Amino acid sequence: MANRLDHYSRQSGNAANDIFGFVASQPCLICKGSPCDAHHLKFAQARSLSMKVSDEFTVPLCRSHHQELHRHGNEAAWWANVQVAPLEIAKRLWETTSSDHASADRVGASQGEAVE
């Protein structure tokens, strides 16, 4: 898992792309298949005027399950029906990428590199 995260962190250079690449590299929460999309959990946070949910609320879904979820219409009910708690998983994925950025920043700073 760490190798995949390192790969995406080096490629993108920005936190939003890092979380999307990392989440998309994980297996689907429903069928364990891949490739996956990084799905924003819309019910996780109040939104205003078409603002997207924060990137910390993303989970991996294969294209088939991602489309199924959007066709269903009631996201919270869909997750309850498949018996998966996506908020807990999104939190773990976010913490994994956040701690990796903090580690990379500390290493860069100790090697005299600029820290973003």
Side-chain angles (χ1 to χ4, degrees), residues 41-116:
L41 299 169
K42 294 183 176 140
F43 69 94
Q45 191 174 45
R47 297 181 308 156
S48 63
L49 299 174
S50 73
M51 294 283 293
K52 192 171 256 189
V53 174
S54 171
D55 294 338
E56 68 188 279
F57 298 108
T58 54
V59 294
L61 288 176
C62 68
R63 183 64 45 96
S64 176
H65 285 114
H66 197 189
Q67 290 173 343
E68 178 184 313
L69 183 151
H70 284 287
R71 281 192 307 268
H72 188 273
N74 183 334
E75 185 175 11
W78 188 86
W79 286 108
N81 194 41
V82 297
Q83 299 180 344
V84 172
L87 289 174
E88 296 170 21
I89 296 164
K91 181 180 179 189
R92 284 197 314 267
L93 292 169
W94 178 257
E95 288 171 349
T96 299
T97 58
S98 295
S99 65
D100 184 67
H101 289 300
S103 298
D105 289 347
R106 284 192 299 275
V107 168
S110 70
Q111 294 175 351
E113 297 174 7
V115 178
E116 295 178 19

